[in-house]
């Protein structure tokens, strides 16, 4: 099993000093987070995509390329690429370039995104949400196989054999499908035989077992090797020296961010009691000391019938930089060895 991090480059306030870090400094902090993960043994690092005033990650491939230049072994990916609002040809060329810079460490997680601000920004109709994704997914998968593609669709001009360059260092650039809880998304990934990245943001993660079984069943019925039907799980997470410390460190920024999002979407403000429940045995938040989080990952792996990748969303808008780096180090140096040792002995 691989353990990774999926973080956004969000605005950050230091709760100890009240300092709001300016954008250039915050970007340097973020690259330090990726470098720390690389050195601590974390397997992968994903960068989100937002087109919003509180985030700096509207161009995630540029950030990933900067991270590739300062890291050595960690795999670098999107989390997720908002495929519906971008051009597949440009995306493929960008990630192929990233793959060359990183020496074959690039991956794509393709999704429709949970925010829709990119659609009007790029002149797209939100009403085409589904058809845009389906068409562009088919095209980018074709680009992975065909250097000189012939293609025609509704949402972009046709391709008539033009070359798409450069080609990536990896023979087949890894592409995952990022999904929430919609059954049709699990079926689509199964039919295509693509690895699946499941974002779980609340509730009991065990409830996803029927959807994962549907994905695996669909993939096998479509003729795909079960070994290729990889599953990744993505949840909120944070590490501390104690369960209480980790929960207390993560809560202020979580409350601030979710309250802001909630106001925009007409949702109620987050409550600490609900948050604490999510950090419990069957909640969706993997927040605690390394032993607690490692055991919770192992328990969920068993409950879901196995998965090949588990990633933590550690982004926090009220966090001292050293506290974030400490959490990243604990994931690589404490949680990962515990998980690997337990799985080796099972």
């Amino acid at each position: 099993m691989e353990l990774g991090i999926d973080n956004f480059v969000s605005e950050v306030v230091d709760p100890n000093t009240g300092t709001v870090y300016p954008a250039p400094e915050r970007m340097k902090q973020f690259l330090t987070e990726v470098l720390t993960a690389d050195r601590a043994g974390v397997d992968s690092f994903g960068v989100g995509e937002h087109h919003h005033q509180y985030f700096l990650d509207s161009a995630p491939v540029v950030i990933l390329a900067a991270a590739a230049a300062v890291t050595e072994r960690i795999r670098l990916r999107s989390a997720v690429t908002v495929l519906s609002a971008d051009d597949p040809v440009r995306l493929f060329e960008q990630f192929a370039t990233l793959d060359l810079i990183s020496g074959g460490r690039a991956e794509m997680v393709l999704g429709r995104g949970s925010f829709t601000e990119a659609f009007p920004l790029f002149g797209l109709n939100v009403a085409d949400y589904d058809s845009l994704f389906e068409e562009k997914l088919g095209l980018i998968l074709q680009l992975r196989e065909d250097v000189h593609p012939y293609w025609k669709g509704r949402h972009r001009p046709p391709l008539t054999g033009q070359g798409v360059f450069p080609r990536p260092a990896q023979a087949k650039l890894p592409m995952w499908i990022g999904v929430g809880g919609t059954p049709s998304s699990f079926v689509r990934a199964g039919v295509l035989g693509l690895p699946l990245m499941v974002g779980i943001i609340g509730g009991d993660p065990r409830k996803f077992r029927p959807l994962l079984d549907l994905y695996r069943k669909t993939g096998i019925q479509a003729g795909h090797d079960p070994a290729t039907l990889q599953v990744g799980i993505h949840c909120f997470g944070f590490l501390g020296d104690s369960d209480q410390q980790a929960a207390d460190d993560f809560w202020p920024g979580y409350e601030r961010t979710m309250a802001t999002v909630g106001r925009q979407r007409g949702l109620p403000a987050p409550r600490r009691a609900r948050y604490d429940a999510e950090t419990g045995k069957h909640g969706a938040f993997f927040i605690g000391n390394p032993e607690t989080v490692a055991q919770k990952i192992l328990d969920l792996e068993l409950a879901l019938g196995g998965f090949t990748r588990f990633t933590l969303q550690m982004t926090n808008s009220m966090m001292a930089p050293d506290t974030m780096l400490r959490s990243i180090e604990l994931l690589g140096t404490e949680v990962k060895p515990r998980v690997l040792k337990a799985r080796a002995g099972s």
Side-chain angles (χ1 to χ4, degrees):
M1 183 200 302
E2 298 178 3
L3 293 183
I5 296 170
D6 288 323
N7 274 8
F8 306 148
V9 192
S10 69
E11 174 188 271
V12 169
V13 178
D14 189 324
N16 299 321
T17 64
T19 301
V20 180
Y21 293 104
E25 185 173 353
R26 176 67 190 112
M27 192 64 77
K28 289 180 181 179
Q29 290 173 357
F30 187 84
L31 292 174
T32 301
E33 292 172 17
V34 186
L35 179 59
T36 299
D38 183 51
R39 292 174 174 172
V42 176
D43 294 303
S44 64
F45 207 111
V47 177
E49 178 182 342
H50 300 85
H51 303 267
H52 193 284
Q53 69 183 97
Y54 299 120
F55 294 91
L56 303 175
D57 52 16
S58 62
V61 184
V62 178
I63 300 170
L64 290 167
V70 298
T71 57
E72 296 181 357
R73 44 153 299 279
I74 196 166
R75 295 195 67 78
L76 300 167
R77 52 187 163 69
S78 54
V80 299
T81 294
V82 185
L83 178 61
S84 304
D86 213 328
D87 178 61
V89 176
R90 289 294 296 153
L91 274 175
F92 185 87
E93 291 179 337
Q94 289 166 1
F95 273 88
T97 304
L98 171 64
D99 203 46
L100 297 176
I101 294 170
S102 66
R105 293 186 281 136
E107 298 186 8
M108 302 181 74
V109 180
L110 304 166
R112 289 177 286 188
S114 58
F115 295 87
T116 59
E117 68 266 14
F119 287 79
L121 182 64
F122 298 116
L124 300 169
N125 191 338
V126 177
D128 295 327
Y129 187 79
D130 291 319
S131 64
L132 280 165
F133 182 75
E134 185 172 355
E135 179 177 295
K136 293 182 178 186
L137 177 61
L139 175 54
I140 202 165
L141 290 174
Q142 182 178 341
L143 298 177
R144 185 169 65 167
E145 307 295 335
D146 193 349
V147 179
H148 297 277
Y150 286 80
W151 176 92
K152 186 177 182 180
R154 285 181 53 205
H155 299 292
R156 80 174 311 281
L159 296 172
T160 55
Q162 301 95 327
V164 179
F165 300 106
R167 306 307 293 178
Q170 298 175 86
K172 196 168 186 176
L173 187 66
M175 295 182 184
W176 296 61
I177 298 292
V179 301
T182 306
S184 60
S185 296
F186 288 78
V187 170
R188 177 192 288 116
V191 169
L192 295 172
L194 293 173
L196 188 71
M197 196 71 198
V198 186
I200 305 176
I201 61 174
D204 188 341
R206 296 175 300 173
K207 68 184 179 184
F208 281 82
R209 177 63 185 265
L211 291 171
L212 293 178
D213 288 344
L214 175 64
Y215 161 69
R216 295 175 179 121
K217 179 181 178 181
T218 303
I220 292 171
Q221 289 176 339
H224 299 294
D225 182 347
T228 66
L229 301 174
Q230 300 179 66
V231 171
I233 302 296
H234 163 92
C235 295
F236 283 110
F238 198 74
L239 283 302
D241 293 318
S242 70
D243 292 349
Q244 191 64 54
Q245 178 205 332
D248 289 346
D249 284 343
F250 199 74
W251 165 250
Y254 173 82
E255 179 188 32
R256 179 173 181 257
T257 298
M258 299 309 290
T260 301
V261 172
R263 284 193 299 271
Q264 295 172 348
R265 298 186 174 186
L267 301 175
R271 295 181 294 110
R272 179 65 193 248
R274 174 65 183 274
Y275 168 85
D276 287 337
E278 292 283 11
T279 68
K281 184 175 178 61
H282 296 306
F285 296 177
F286 288 69
I287 296 174
N289 69 43
E291 183 176 358
T292 296
V293 172
Q295 188 58 56
K296 193 170 179 179
I297 292 171
L298 292 164
D299 290 344
L300 184 61
E301 181 190 21
L302 181 63
L304 295 182
F307 45 76
T308 56
R309 174 175 290 176
F310 188 86
T311 69
L312 295 181
Q313 171 54 268
M314 293 185 175
T315 305
N316 197 280
S317 63
M318 293 189 70
M319 179 70 65
D322 288 346
T323 305
M324 176 60 73
L325 296 181
R326 172 66 174 160
S327 179
I328 293 170
E329 288 175 349
L330 288 173
L331 178 63
T333 62
E334 297 289 338
V335 175
K336 181 179 174 181
R338 282 177 166 84
V339 169
L340 295 181
K341 181 178 179 181
R343 296 178 83 250
S346 61

